[in-house]
Structures are given as C-alpha cells and as structure tokens.
Amino acid sequence: MPIYRAYIVGLHDRPIGVVQIDCVDDSSAIKSAERLVDSHGVELWQMDRPVARFDARSKRALTKVGVATNSPE
C-alpha cells in the first residue's frame, strides 16, 4: 500500500505539520487529505511526487498541473 504524506502549509507555503496517509491509490489519498483542510492549505505527496494541493481559502483541490479534482465532468 503506497504511503502518502499530507503537509499542512502555513504562511509563505512553509510546512507546519505532516500527516502520514496509507491509501491504495491517488484518488483515495486525495479524499483523505481533503478532510485535513481547514484554515491552512494542504500539499499531498507520494514519496517525491507531488499529487495535489488544497487551497484553504477556496476549499478546492488543485493538482500540480492546475486541474481541479472536484470539478464537474
């Protein structure tokens, strides 16, 4: 099972905390990390690969290529 890390980001996008998440794939890791978003943003990584970034202001999950993961398809 892949290990993901969700970094809680504070001012100037500096990490202020980390949560380890064990999930079967990116999609389930994104759903788990999304629950961590409150007044701080969250960056989700799998090893050295960026998976998603969650903006605290808009509550939207953005992948590293800028595609919203919760947009209608």
Side-chain angles (χ1 to χ4, degrees):
M1 182 172 299
I3 297 173
Y4 295 83
R5 286 206 165 98
Y7 293 93
I8 313 303
V9 292
L11 239 61
H12 309 292
D13 292 331
R14 295 190 184 262
I16 58 173
V18 64
V19 176
Q20 183 171 309
I21 302 171
D22 297 328
C23 292
V24 295
D25 59 14
D26 285 359
S27 179
S28 59
I30 287 171
K31 289 177 185 174
S32 293
E34 191 171 30
R35 291 189 282 257
L36 299 173
V37 179
D38 56 13
S39 60
H40 294 92
V42 174
E43 285 190 10
L44 180 64
W45 290 71
Q46 196 264 326
M47 301 289 284
D48 62 345
R49 180 178 64 91
V51 177
R53 168 146 176 110
F54 301 85
D55 182 59
R57 288 178 287 257
S58 67
K59 303 288 187 189
R60 293 188 68 193
L62 305 172
T63 64
K64 286 296 175 179
V65 293
V67 179
T69 59
N70 58 354
S71 62
E73 297 181 6

